Tab-separated table of all heavy atoms in Angstrom:
chain	number	residue	atom	x	y	z
A	226	GLU	N	-0.826	-19.976	-21.271
A	226	GLU	CA	-1.671	-21.071	-21.779
A	226	GLU	C	-3.103	-20.939	-21.269
A	226	GLU	O	-4.065	-21.096	-22.016
A	226	GLU	CB	-1.087	-22.388	-21.268
A	226	GLU	CG	-0.888	-23.433	-22.340
A	226	GLU	CD	-0.156	-24.616	-21.747
A	226	GLU	OE1	-0.802	-25.461	-21.110
A	226	GLU	OE2	1.095	-24.645	-21.893
A	227	LYS	N	-3.211	-20.638	-19.996
A	227	LYS	CA	-4.546	-20.499	-19.389
A	227	LYS	C	-5.325	-19.353	-20.073
A	227	LYS	O	-6.502	-19.501	-20.413
A	227	LYS	CB	-4.386	-20.215	-17.880
A	227	LYS	CG	-5.651	-19.841	-17.151
A	227	LYS	CD	-6.487	-21.056	-16.811
A	227	LYS	CE	-7.824	-20.638	-16.229
A	227	LYS	NZ	-8.695	-21.767	-15.952
A	228	ILE	N	-4.634	-18.248	-20.297
A	228	ILE	CA	-5.295	-17.089	-20.917
A	228	ILE	C	-5.692	-17.412	-22.363
A	228	ILE	O	-6.795	-17.105	-22.804
A	228	ILE	CB	-4.381	-15.840	-20.826
A	228	ILE	CG1	-4.260	-15.406	-19.358
A	228	ILE	CG2	-4.906	-14.689	-21.687
A	228	ILE	CD1	-3.184	-14.395	-19.065
A	229	LYS	N	-4.798	-18.097	-23.057
A	229	LYS	CA	-5.094	-18.458	-24.461
A	229	LYS	C	-6.265	-19.424	-24.522
A	229	LYS	O	-7.105	-19.351	-25.423
A	229	LYS	CB	-3.845	-19.034	-25.130
A	229	LYS	CG	-2.815	-17.950	-25.409
A	229	LYS	CD	-1.733	-18.429	-26.360
A	229	LYS	CE	-0.883	-17.226	-26.811
A	229	LYS	NZ	0.433	-17.617	-27.268
A	230	HIS	N	-6.333	-20.332	-23.568
A	230	HIS	CA	-7.447	-21.268	-23.512
A	230	HIS	C	-8.761	-20.501	-23.313
A	230	HIS	O	-9.775	-20.795	-23.950
A	230	HIS	CB	-7.229	-22.275	-22.376
A	230	HIS	CG	-8.340	-23.247	-22.226
A	230	HIS	ND1	-8.642	-24.192	-23.187
A	230	HIS	CD2	-9.255	-23.417	-21.241
A	230	HIS	CE1	-9.684	-24.908	-22.795
A	230	HIS	NE2	-10.091	-24.450	-21.610
A	231	ARG	N	-8.711	-19.503	-22.440
A	231	ARG	CA	-9.916	-18.682	-22.211
A	231	ARG	C	-10.300	-17.938	-23.503
A	231	ARG	O	-11.475	-17.873	-23.850
A	231	ARG	CB	-9.670	-17.686	-21.060
A	231	ARG	CG	-9.747	-18.340	-19.685
A	231	ARG	CD	-9.404	-17.375	-18.576
A	231	ARG	NE	-10.230	-16.167	-18.591
A	231	ARG	CZ	-11.499	-16.109	-18.158
A	231	ARG	NH1	-12.073	-17.184	-17.665
A	231	ARG	NH2	-12.165	-14.967	-18.208
A	232	ILE	N	-9.291	-17.421	-24.197
A	232	ILE	CA	-9.574	-16.704	-25.453
A	232	ILE	C	-10.266	-17.669	-26.435
A	232	ILE	O	-11.256	-17.313	-27.084
A	232	ILE	CB	-8.279	-16.111	-26.069
A	232	ILE	CG1	-7.691	-15.039	-25.150
A	232	ILE	CG2	-8.558	-15.515	-27.460
A	232	ILE	CD1	-6.319	-14.525	-25.539
A	233	SER	N	-9.762	-18.919	-26.464
A	233	SER	CA	-10.348	-19.916	-27.394
A	233	SER	C	-11.807	-20.216	-27.036
A	233	SER	O	-12.571	-20.689	-27.864
A	233	SER	CB	-9.516	-21.200	-27.401
A	233	SER	OG	-9.759	-21.917	-26.205
A	234	GLN	N	-12.171	-19.936	-25.792
A	234	GLN	CA	-13.569	-20.144	-25.376
A	234	GLN	C	-14.404	-18.876	-25.529
A	234	GLN	O	-15.522	-18.797	-25.043
A	234	GLN	CB	-13.607	-20.550	-23.895
A	234	GLN	CG	-13.021	-21.909	-23.600
A	234	GLN	CD	-13.059	-22.184	-22.107
A	234	GLN	OE1	-12.798	-21.286	-21.299
A	234	GLN	NE2	-13.398	-23.401	-21.735
A	235	GLY	N	-13.800	-17.862	-26.126
A	235	GLY	CA	-14.510	-16.595	-26.330
A	235	GLY	C	-14.413	-15.649	-25.145
A	235	GLY	O	-15.090	-14.626	-25.107
A	236	LYS	N	-13.561	-15.995	-24.174
A	236	LYS	CA	-13.404	-15.112	-23.004
A	236	LYS	C	-12.179	-14.232	-23.226
A	236	LYS	O	-11.039	-14.688	-23.076
A	236	LYS	CB	-13.285	-15.938	-21.729
A	236	LYS	CG	-14.594	-16.662	-21.431
A	236	LYS	CD	-14.524	-17.472	-20.179
A	236	LYS	CE	-15.901	-18.074	-19.914
A	236	LYS	NZ	-15.875	-19.125	-18.906
A	237	ARG	N	-12.454	-12.993	-23.568
A	237	ARG	CA	-11.354	-12.120	-23.989
A	237	ARG	C	-10.775	-11.304	-22.842
A	237	ARG	O	-10.152	-10.264	-23.055
A	237	ARG	CB	-11.834	-11.221	-25.121
A	237	ARG	CG	-12.173	-12.035	-26.366
A	237	ARG	CD	-13.048	-11.262	-27.309
A	237	ARG	NE	-12.362	-10.091	-27.840
A	237	ARG	CZ	-12.998	-9.032	-28.349
A	237	ARG	NH1	-14.322	-9.002	-28.369
A	237	ARG	NH2	-12.316	-8.019	-28.808
A	238	PHE	N	-11.013	-11.739	-21.626
A	238	PHE	CA	-10.404	-11.063	-20.464
A	238	PHE	C	-9.998	-12.134	-19.451
A	238	PHE	O	-10.530	-13.245	-19.474
A	238	PHE	CB	-11.395	-10.092	-19.819
A	238	PHE	CG	-12.440	-10.792	-18.998
A	238	PHE	CD1	-12.335	-10.858	-17.617
A	238	PHE	CD2	-13.512	-11.431	-19.615
A	238	PHE	CE1	-13.281	-11.535	-16.853
A	238	PHE	CE2	-14.460	-12.115	-18.867
A	238	PHE	CZ	-14.346	-12.167	-17.485
A	239	SER	N	-9.055	-11.790	-18.601
A	239	SER	CA	-8.658	-12.709	-17.530
A	239	SER	C	-8.293	-11.907	-16.295
A	239	SER	O	-7.850	-10.758	-16.393
A	239	SER	CB	-7.444	-13.543	-17.953
A	239	SER	OG	-7.831	-14.511	-18.907
A	240	VAL	N	-8.490	-12.540	-15.145
A	240	VAL	CA	-8.169	-11.878	-13.876
A	240	VAL	C	-7.074	-12.689	-13.177
A	240	VAL	O	-7.184	-13.907	-13.022
A	240	VAL	CB	-9.432	-11.749	-12.994
A	240	VAL	CG1	-9.076	-11.190	-11.622
A	240	VAL	CG2	-10.467	-10.856	-13.684
A	241	VAL	N	-6.017	-11.984	-12.786
A	241	VAL	CA	-4.831	-12.640	-12.224
A	241	VAL	C	-4.518	-12.031	-10.858
A	241	VAL	O	-4.467	-10.809	-10.719
A	241	VAL	CB	-3.605	-12.416	-13.150
A	241	VAL	CG1	-2.380	-13.166	-12.655
A	241	VAL	CG2	-3.932	-12.776	-14.595
A	242	VAL	N	-4.305	-12.884	-9.854
A	242	VAL	CA	-3.849	-12.381	-8.551
A	242	VAL	C	-2.375	-12.740	-8.401
A	242	VAL	O	-1.993	-13.895	-8.625
A	242	VAL	CB	-4.630	-13.013	-7.370
A	242	VAL	CG1	-4.240	-12.355	-6.057
A	242	VAL	CG2	-6.127	-12.900	-7.583
A	243	VAL	N	-1.585	-11.754	-8.034
A	243	VAL	CA	-0.156	-12.004	-7.833
A	243	VAL	C	0.209	-11.606	-6.403
A	243	VAL	O	0.001	-10.458	-5.996
A	243	VAL	CB	0.701	-11.193	-8.840
A	243	VAL	CG1	2.191	-11.408	-8.579
A	243	VAL	CG2	0.358	-11.571	-10.269
A	244	ALA	N	0.727	-12.556	-5.646
A	244	ALA	CA	1.203	-12.239	-4.296
A	244	ALA	C	2.472	-11.409	-4.432
A	244	ALA	O	3.283	-11.668	-5.332
A	244	ALA	CB	1.500	-13.534	-3.541
A	245	GLU	N	2.642	-10.432	-3.543
A	245	GLU	CA	3.840	-9.574	-3.649
A	245	GLU	C	5.130	-10.394	-3.578
A	245	GLU	O	6.159	-9.988	-4.100
A	245	GLU	CB	3.820	-8.490	-2.561
A	245	GLU	CG	3.846	-9.032	-1.140
A	245	GLU	CD	3.837	-7.958	-0.065
A	245	GLU	OE1	3.891	-6.762	-0.378
A	245	GLU	OE2	3.777	-8.343	1.124
A	246	GLY	N	5.058	-11.567	-2.939
A	246	GLY	CA	6.260	-12.397	-2.787
A	246	GLY	C	6.409	-13.448	-3.878
A	246	GLY	O	7.299	-14.306	-3.788
A	247	ALA	N	5.550	-13.383	-4.907
A	247	ALA	CA	5.642	-14.389	-5.980
A	247	ALA	C	6.914	-14.181	-6.793
A	247	ALA	O	7.393	-13.061	-6.939
A	247	ALA	CB	4.425	-14.281	-6.900
A	248	MET	N	7.440	-15.285	-7.305
A	248	MET	CA	8.665	-15.160	-8.129
A	248	MET	C	8.642	-16.191	-9.256
A	248	MET	O	8.046	-17.265	-9.101
A	248	MET	CB	9.899	-15.365	-7.269
A	248	MET	CG	10.068	-16.780	-6.804
A	248	MET	SD	11.179	-16.911	-5.430
A	248	MET	CE	10.036	-17.016	-4.086
A	249	PRO	N	9.307	-15.859	-10.376
A	249	PRO	CA	9.365	-16.845	-11.461
A	249	PRO	C	10.297	-18.000	-11.099
A	249	PRO	O	11.198	-17.823	-10.273
A	249	PRO	CB	9.942	-16.043	-12.632
A	249	PRO	CG	10.603	-14.867	-12.027
A	249	PRO	CD	9.989	-14.609	-10.689
A	250	LYS	N	10.050	-19.147	-11.719
A	250	LYS	CA	10.926	-20.301	-11.506
A	250	LYS	C	12.366	-19.912	-11.818
A	250	LYS	O	12.632	-19.345	-12.872
A	250	LYS	CB	10.504	-21.427	-12.457
A	250	LYS	CG	9.981	-22.625	-11.728
A	250	LYS	CD	9.587	-23.732	-12.671
A	250	LYS	CE	8.399	-24.438	-12.044
A	250	LYS	NZ	7.514	-25.079	-12.980
A	251	GLY	N	13.257	-20.163	-10.896
A	251	GLY	CA	14.661	-19.839	-11.115
A	251	GLY	C	14.954	-18.352	-11.007
A	251	GLY	O	16.080	-17.911	-11.226
A	252	GLY	N	13.937	-17.546	-10.691
A	252	GLY	CA	14.147	-16.093	-10.603
A	252	GLY	C	14.107	-15.595	-9.167
A	252	GLY	O	14.186	-16.374	-8.223
A	253	GLU	N	13.988	-14.292	-9.046
A	253	GLU	CA	14.076	-13.660	-7.726
A	253	GLU	C	12.747	-13.031	-7.346
A	253	GLU	O	11.933	-12.699	-8.204
A	253	GLU	CB	15.127	-12.529	-7.767
A	253	GLU	CG	16.562	-12.978	-7.993
A	253	GLU	CD	17.106	-13.802	-6.837
A	253	GLU	OE1	16.709	-13.543	-5.684
A	253	GLU	OE2	17.912	-14.721	-7.117
A	254	ILE	N	12.577	-12.792	-6.081
A	254	ILE	CA	11.442	-12.059	-5.553
A	254	ILE	C	11.554	-10.587	-6.011
A	254	ILE	O	12.670	-10.111	-6.224
A	254	ILE	CB	11.503	-12.199	-4.010
A	254	ILE	CG1	10.132	-12.201	-3.394
A	254	ILE	CG2	12.410	-11.201	-3.357
A	254	ILE	CD1	10.097	-12.900	-2.059
A	255	SER	N	10.427	-9.883	-6.206
A	255	SER	CA	10.490	-8.472	-6.647
A	255	SER	C	10.652	-7.537	-5.453
A	255	SER	O	9.774	-7.463	-4.607
A	255	SER	CB	9.202	-8.079	-7.359
A	255	SER	OG	9.174	-8.582	-8.633
A	256	VAL	N	11.746	-6.829	-5.435
A	256	VAL	CA	12.017	-5.933	-4.306
A	256	VAL	C	11.953	-4.489	-4.792
A	256	VAL	O	12.574	-4.131	-5.790
A	256	VAL	CB	13.401	-6.249	-3.700
A	256	VAL	CG1	13.770	-5.255	-2.608
A	256	VAL	CG2	13.422	-7.659	-3.137
A	257	GLU	N	11.179	-3.677	-4.060
A	257	GLU	CA	11.004	-2.273	-4.451
A	257	GLU	C	12.069	-1.393	-3.810
A	257	GLU	O	12.455	-0.362	-4.325
A	257	GLU	CB	9.625	-1.828	-3.996
A	257	GLU	CG	9.112	-0.561	-4.622
A	257	GLU	CD	7.704	-0.291	-4.132
A	257	GLU	OE1	6.769	-0.857	-4.710
A	257	GLU	OE2	7.556	0.454	-3.142
A	258	GLY	N	12.530	-1.809	-2.647
A	258	GLY	CA	13.526	-1.009	-1.935
A	258	GLY	C	13.770	-1.564	-0.546
A	258	GLY	O	13.516	-2.731	-0.276
A	259	THR	N	14.250	-0.676	0.288
A	259	THR	CA	14.566	-1.081	1.659
A	259	THR	C	13.794	-0.195	2.609
A	259	THR	O	13.660	1.000	2.370
A	259	THR	CB	16.080	-0.878	1.922
A	259	THR	OG1	16.791	-1.518	0.874
A	259	THR	CG2	16.514	-1.464	3.238
A	260	ARG	N	13.256	-0.764	3.668
A	260	ARG	CA	12.591	0.079	4.664
A	260	ARG	C	13.495	0.228	5.876
A	260	ARG	O	14.375	-0.611	6.097
A	260	ARG	CB	11.215	-0.486	5.032
A	260	ARG	CG	11.209	-1.943	5.412
A	260	ARG	CD	9.814	-2.476	5.632
A	260	ARG	NE	9.909	-3.816	6.205
A	260	ARG	CZ	8.895	-4.555	6.573
A	260	ARG	NH1	7.669	-4.106	6.441
A	260	ARG	NH2	9.072	-5.751	7.084
A	261	ASP	N	13.269	1.278	6.638
A	261	ASP	CA	14.147	1.531	7.778
A	261	ASP	C	13.441	1.110	9.063
A	261	ASP	O	12.987	1.923	9.840
A	261	ASP	CB	14.515	3.021	7.832
A	261	ASP	CG	15.460	3.306	8.994
A	261	ASP	OD1	16.083	2.340	9.509
A	261	ASP	OD2	15.557	4.471	9.403
A	262	ASN	N	13.367	-0.189	9.258
A	262	ASN	CA	12.728	-0.684	10.472
A	262	ASN	C	13.762	-1.070	11.536
A	262	ASN	O	13.485	-1.837	12.443
A	262	ASN	CB	11.819	-1.881	10.158
A	262	ASN	CG	10.489	-1.431	9.573
A	262	ASN	OD1	10.245	-0.241	9.427
A	262	ASN	ND2	9.640	-2.373	9.229
A	263	GLY	N	14.957	-0.556	11.383
A	263	GLY	CA	15.997	-0.818	12.374
A	263	GLY	C	16.689	-2.141	12.148
A	263	GLY	O	16.474	-2.817	11.139
A	264	LYS	N	17.509	-2.510	13.119
A	264	LYS	CA	18.232	-3.785	13.004
A	264	LYS	C	17.387	-4.886	13.616
A	264	LYS	O	16.499	-4.627	14.416
A	264	LYS	CB	19.535	-3.694	13.796
A	264	LYS	CG	20.702	-3.228	12.986
A	264	LYS	CD	21.961	-3.503	13.770
A	264	LYS	CE	23.173	-2.936	13.070
A	264	LYS	NZ	24.363	-3.037	13.907
A	265	GLY	N	17.702	-6.109	13.250
A	265	GLY	CA	17.006	-7.221	13.891
A	265	GLY	C	15.619	-7.443	13.347
A	265	GLY	O	14.814	-8.139	13.957
A	266	VAL	N	15.273	-6.834	12.232
A	266	VAL	CA	13.998	-7.093	11.556
A	266	VAL	C	14.265	-7.195	10.060
A	266	VAL	O	15.325	-6.803	9.586
A	266	VAL	CB	12.947	-5.975	11.819
A	266	VAL	CG1	12.509	-5.943	13.256
A	266	VAL	CG2	13.474	-4.615	11.399
A	267	ASP	N	13.274	-7.688	9.341
A	267	ASP	CA	13.414	-7.815	7.888
A	267	ASP	C	13.100	-6.467	7.242
A	267	ASP	O	11.987	-5.967	7.346
A	267	ASP	CB	12.432	-8.896	7.421
A	267	ASP	CG	12.334	-8.958	5.909
A	267	ASP	OD1	13.286	-8.521	5.240
A	267	ASP	OD2	11.305	-9.436	5.416
Side-chain angles (χ1 to χ4, degrees):
E226 230 173 82
K227 171 80 187 177
I228 292 168
K229 287 194 169 157
H230 178 66
R231 283 176 56 77
I232 295 171
S233 74
Q234 292 178 320
K236 293 181 176 166
R237 295 161 65 201
F238 76 100
S239 287
V240 174
V241 184
V242 186
V243 177
E245 62 180 356
M248 70 198 99
K250 245 181 214 153
E253 294 294 327
I254 212 155
S255 283
V256 175
E257 196 177 276
T259 309
R260 51 186 189 177
D261 181 18
N262 281 359
K264 268 194 185 172
V266 293
D267 171 23

